[in-house]
Amino acid sequence: MLMARTPPDSAFAPQSQAVSSETAFVLDAADARFLTEVGMLASGRGDLAHADAIFNALRRVRPDRAYPLVGLAVARLNAGRAAEATRLLEDIELDDAHEQAIIRVWYGLALQLAGRMAESRRVLADAATRPGEGGALARQMLGQDAMPSDDEN
């Protein structure tokens, strides 16, 4: 039986070069969402070959978004390769605070699944101070109440 072999560091390949803005425009939001859903199916099975192909392509057309990196990390988590997921996410810096919060909460989860509990708690505590869905998810994972809105003060 022939099996596709995925290079172990395929998700770590440099992605600094985004495709042209024309190419990024051609892939509209619905197409990106569809590819993300297919990629998450592969990630859910720990299918690194297919998840890497899809999410590395999405990284090129959406380099400023967290979801391609999350997809790559989820594939590794579901393949029992939490240490790889932590290496993938640990040094990622995105300009958008909401996107960065998502990266940090998934990094915290990957650390937890890699057995690095103290580091995970520190990362999640930091993520909990960040805005948007990432911050809310981190607070939920830590068992904290939601942060009060400005209206409640």
Side-chain angles (χ1 to χ4, degrees), residues 100-123:
Q100 186 63 29
I102 292 168
I103 291 294
R104 297 303 290 172
V105 74
W106 281 95
Y107 177 49
L109 176 62
L111 285 166
Q112 187 176 75
L113 294 174
R116 295 163 58 184
M117 300 307 201
E119 287 177 84
S120 171
R121 185 140 179 82
R122 280 192 298 275
V123 168

Side-chain angles (χ1 to χ4, degrees), residues 36-135:
T36 300
E37 290 172 6
V38 172
M40 282 300 184
L41 289 172
S43 291
R45 292 192 326 259
D47 179 348
L48 297 180
H50 291 105
D52 283 358
I54 292 167
F55 287 116
N56 278 322
L58 285 168
R59 281 177 75 186
R60 293 191 56 117
V61 294
R62 300 290 194 270
D64 57 340
R65 300 295 305 272
Y67 70 88
L69 293 157
V70 169
L72 291 166
V74 168
R76 277 149 184 77
L77 293 173
N78 285 320
R81 296 162 81 168
E84 281 185 33
T86 63
R87 286 193 306 275
L88 176 70
L89 298 173
E90 68 188 334
D91 294 324
I92 298 297
E93 293 291 332
L94 299 178
D95 291 333
D96 183 270
H98 291 86
E99 296 294 320
Q100 186 63 29
I102 292 168
I103 291 294
R104 297 303 290 172
V105 74
W106 281 95
Y107 177 49
L109 176 62
L111 285 166
Q112 187 176 75
L113 294 174
R116 295 163 58 184
M117 300 307 201
E119 287 177 84
S120 171
R121 185 140 179 82
R122 280 192 298 275
V123 168
L124 289 172
D126 172 65
T129 67
R130 296 175 185 249
E133 292 176 12

